[in-house]
Structures are given as C-alpha cells and as structure tokens.
C-alpha cells in the first residue's frame, strides 16, 4: 500500500509518495499545479493505495486571493484523485498534523521538521538528509516537501489507529 500526500499551493504544490508500512518516502517533488494534475492522471495506483491533501482552515483572520486560489486547486486535486482511486482523498488539516507530530497545536514548520528528523533520521541528525554518498531518510527533501511528508505521516498513522 502506498500513500500519496499533497501540500497544495496556489501556483506550485509539493507531493510525497510513501510506503504505507515503512513510512519511507518513495517519490517526491514540487511541481506546477497543472503538471501535478498530469502526474496524478498518469500515476499507476494499485488497489489499497490512497491519498491525502492538506486542507485549509479559517481561524478568523482575513485572507488574500492566494488562499482562495489554493482552495480551488485542492478541489481540482481531489476530483482527479477521486476519479483515479475511486474514493475521495483524506483531507488533513494543519492542526491535526501539529497535534499528531508535535503533540502541540502551536508547533510551526521548524518544530514539525525537527520532530520528523528526530524520529526518522539515522545518521544525519542535523538535517536528516545526509549526503549523496551517504543519504539519510530525507535525502533530496526541500521546501514544501517536508509539509507533504507530514501530511502523509499524519494520515497513515491516524488511519492505522482507527
């Protein structure tokens, strides 16, 4: 079983495909949104595979156009994945990620990254990436791929606990 997670953006989005049992990243990248939809249409899903998308939540603060554009892309990704998987993807809210990974609703991106490195890195305990000659768990990760991985981990572990 594989889990595909998306950290959506208004122009580009990050995705991370993980093994549902070992939680090891299998494939990840940051693509333009149209390119990501094309990737989702071509991706060879198998029975039992599923997907998760980080969902936007409102906490009463005013938001700009970028947030609404991101919401539209979430819907597009959801539709594409529902057609491919025959089931809608799980929507994971940022608050769920913070609580699950850091056990604190006030955690930020660096807290989440640190918790993931502490949990999964084997020898590069500073960045979790390692080097080309000696790669670690997160070799190749950059920017929003960390957020996509956090969505995947949260979704996988919450689904397994139910």
């Amino acid at each position: 079983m594989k889990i595909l997670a998306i950290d959506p953006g208004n122009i580009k989005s990050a995705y991370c495909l993980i093994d549902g049992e070992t939680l090891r990243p299998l494939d990840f990248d940051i693509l333009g949104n149209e390119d990501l939809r094309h990737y989702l249409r071509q991706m060879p899903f198998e029975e039992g595979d599923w997907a998760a998308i980080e969902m936007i939540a409102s906490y009463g603060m005013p938001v700009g156009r970028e947030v609404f554009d991101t919401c539209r892309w979430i819907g597009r990704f959801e539709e594409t994945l529902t057609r491919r998987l025959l089931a809608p993807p799980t929507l994971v809210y940022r608050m769920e990620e913070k609580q699950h990974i850091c056990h604190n609703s006030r955690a930020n991106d660096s807290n989440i990254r640190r918790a993931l490195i502490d949990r999964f890195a084997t020898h590069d305990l500073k960045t979790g990436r390692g080097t080309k000659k000696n790669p670690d768990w997160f070799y190749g990760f950059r920017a929003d791929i960390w957020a996509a991985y956090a969505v995947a981990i949260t979704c996988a572990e919450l689904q397994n606990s139910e």
Side-chain angles (χ1 to χ4, degrees):
M1 165 186 71
K2 294 179 291 218
I3 301 165
L4 174 77
I6 299 173
D7 177 44
N10 62 323
I11 297 169
K12 291 183 176 184
S13 296
Y15 74 90
C16 187
L17 180 68
I18 69 168
D19 182 297
E21 310 214 354
T22 66
L23 305 178
R24 185 167 281 287
L26 303 172
D27 185 26
F28 49 85
D29 203 356
I30 300 171
L31 299 173
N33 287 340
E34 238 357 288
D35 293 335
L36 181 54
R37 274 182 78 200
H38 179 72
Y39 172 82
L40 297 176
R41 287 186 198 111
Q42 305 303 317
M43 187 177 177
F45 287 109
E46 298 170 4
E47 189 173 334
D49 291 349
W50 39 288
I53 303 172
E54 186 174 82
M55 185 59 184
I56 293 173
S58 170
Y59 297 104
M61 298 298 292
V63 295
R65 177 180 178 178
E66 293 84 11
V67 172
F68 292 105
D69 288 345
T70 301
C71 287
R72 292 181 65 215
W73 277 106
I74 290 169
R76 290 175 177 153
F77 294 142
E78 184 177 18
E79 177 185 29
T80 302
L81 287 166
T82 300
R83 287 182 179 173
R84 295 296 319 283
L85 294 168
L86 303 176
T90 302
L91 299 177
V92 178
Y93 290 89
R94 188 81 172 142
M95 190 64 67
E96 289 175 285
E97 288 172 51
K98 292 176 180 185
Q99 288 284 21
H100 179 74
I101 295 170
C102 297
H103 310 290
N104 186 335
S105 62
R106 293 177 15 195
N108 59 29
D109 288 345
S110 64
N111 299 131
I112 292 171
R113 182 180 302 186
R114 179 80 258 153
L116 292 172
I117 292 168
D118 289 347
R119 181 172 169 193
F120 293 106
T122 57
H123 60 273
D124 181 358
L125 303 179
K126 185 175 181 182
T127 67
R129 293 184 190 121
T131 63
K132 187 173 186 176
K133 286 185 178 181
N134 190 14
D136 206 341
W137 190 273
F138 299 108
Y139 182 74
F141 271 42
R142 65 189 193 285
D144 293 332
I145 296 171
W146 289 95
Y149 185 76
V151 170
I153 292 297
T154 301
C155 190
E157 293 178 341
L158 290 178
Q159 293 287 348
N160 287 338
S161 69
E162 289 178 357

